[in-house]
Amino acid sequence: MSRSRLTRTSHRRRTVRPWRLSAALAALAVLVAACGGGGPPPPPDAHDVLLFISNYSDARIEVMSAESDPAELAANPGLRIADPAFVSVISAVWGPGDRLYVSDFALNQIRVYDADDAMSAAAPTPVAIITSPDLVEAYAIAFDPSGNLWVSDRRGSRDASPITNRIVKFTAASVAAATGATSLNAATVITFDTSTPAFAYNRITSLTFDEQGDLWFTDVLAWAVYRTTDPGSLTGTVNGHVPTLRLQSANFGTPELSDIRNPTSVAVDSDGNLYVGNRGRDKVARFDGAASLTGDYAGAARSADAMLAVGLTNASLVTIAPDGALWVGSSGPSALSQLVRVTGQSTGSGEVALAPTTQFGWAPGNTNAYHEAGGMTFHVR
């Protein structure tokens, strides 16, 4: 079987097949909706540390909070953001001016809320609804260090009929000034080079900026993680863009053991180590010093320095907490939507088992609490 056929077939199979339970997951699935050691949720007026998690299936944003210590995060249903207009929420990020930005790709909108008002209202009303002629399906969103808003555009791409995605940028000034129904023209529209063999950008599921200001993004179908250095230098219409780094880590003999398999999110720590959340694996892949890598690491060219087992059936969502701990979410379905906190993730090599210091289960009451589009972000007031 050829290499390209193997990869393509695996993508399709991975998209539609449910994952098998592991013994560790079975233990997690019986968790009640509480954080181990976290105690009762803090009162709404004491939430200085916030974790927003996109709940695609139930069309809302879940919120966890703590007074000051991220290790004490607990579910805070009183802060849940449930706009009745939500259809398919993908990402929620805290932006300048203490406004919360939520992408809904079915509506092709970025809905903007006064954060405090949204977290205290049963049915919050947006202060702005951003649309753009440069967007077909607003998907993952992220703010760069200068306050510019970046959005991946799925453009109607589906597994059976893939379409090359784009990434667009809206200036900080235009986003901050948005009120009511606002149509914005993008300051930057990035289209990608698809002429190079095996380069594809058909499902960009997450956007992340590291401490250097570089832009990272994942393509779940291409089994690839990309980084673009100095994205602020890209202005206007950018055609045929080639990212600074393409990172794959495929096992062509046993695809299900690939270090990067259906990547949906990334996190980069202060040492430049990259953590890849894999929908198609039960482990998080760690690549040491990846923030300084450049070039094309296609196929099996680069193995992970460590594969972190955290007791989940899939490790879709990853983010670094303000205290340096790694939070990992499993995308479900149903009772399998689990969230864990681990420490010590930057040490060890090969297969590394990390015992969660916190385990959290959304079920019962949710159908699929986590979405695969990198929709898990921290904010500290």
Side-chain angles (χ1 to χ4, degrees), residues 177-216:
T179 59
T182 301
S183 179
L184 297 180
N185 292 316
T188 303
V189 177
I190 302 173
T191 60
F192 294 95
D193 165 41
T194 56
S195 61
T196 302
F199 271 59
Y201 308 86
N202 296 328
R203 183 81 69 81
I204 297 176
T205 51
S206 67
L207 302 177
T208 303
F209 285 91
D210 63 20
E211 293 184 358
Q212 303 176 131
D214 291 347
L215 174 62
W216 294 82

Side-chain angles (χ1 to χ4, degrees), residues 137 139 152-158 162-167 190-192 194 200-205 218-219:
E137 287 182 327
Y139 212 67
S152 72
D153 185 357
R154 187 165 165 179
R155 301 187 64 76
S157 180
R158 300 295 184 266
I163 298 172
T164 302
N165 293 186
R166 301 193 306 195
I167 296 177
I190 302 173
T191 60
F192 294 95
T194 56
Y201 308 86
N202 296 328
R203 183 81 69 81
I204 297 176
T205 51
T218 57
D219 187 326

Side-chain angles (χ1 to χ4, degrees), residues 181-262:
T182 301
S183 179
L184 297 180
N185 292 316
T188 303
V189 177
I190 302 173
T191 60
F192 294 95
D193 165 41
T194 56
S195 61
T196 302
F199 271 59
Y201 308 86
N202 296 328
R203 183 81 69 81
I204 297 176
T205 51
S206 67
L207 302 177
T208 303
F209 285 91
D210 63 20
E211 293 184 358
Q212 303 176 131
D214 291 347
L215 174 62
W216 294 82
F217 55 98
T218 57
D219 187 326
V220 68
L221 297 182
W223 298 19
V225 174
Y226 299 92
R227 187 183 87 247
T228 291
T229 302
D230 190 20
S233 65
L234 303 175
T235 59
T237 300
V238 180
N239 294 313
H241 176 65
V242 177
T244 311
L245 169 70
R246 178 176 68 158
L247 180 61
Q248 293 180 312
S249 191
N251 182 329
F252 290 104
T254 312
E256 61 268 25
L257 297 181
S258 297
D259 293 347
I260 295 179
R261 189 181 191 203
N262 302 119

Side-chain angles (χ1 to χ4, degrees), residues 89-154:
V89 291
I90 300 297
S91 295
V93 296
W94 193 288
D98 291 336
R99 303 209 300 182
L100 191 69
Y101 293 74
V102 179
S103 61
D104 190 308
F105 92 95
L107 298 176
N108 190 31
Q109 296 175 348
I110 298 168
R111 300 177 70 85
V112 186
Y113 305 84
D114 176 276
D116 286 329
D117 290 348
M119 289 187 292
S120 61
T125 300
V127 297
I129 299 175
I130 297 174
T131 58
S132 173
D134 299 305
L135 289 173
V136 177
E137 287 182 327
Y139 212 67
I141 57 177
F143 280 95
D144 67 19
S146 298
N148 301 305
L149 178 63
W150 296 73
V151 185
S152 72
D153 185 357
R154 187 165 165 179

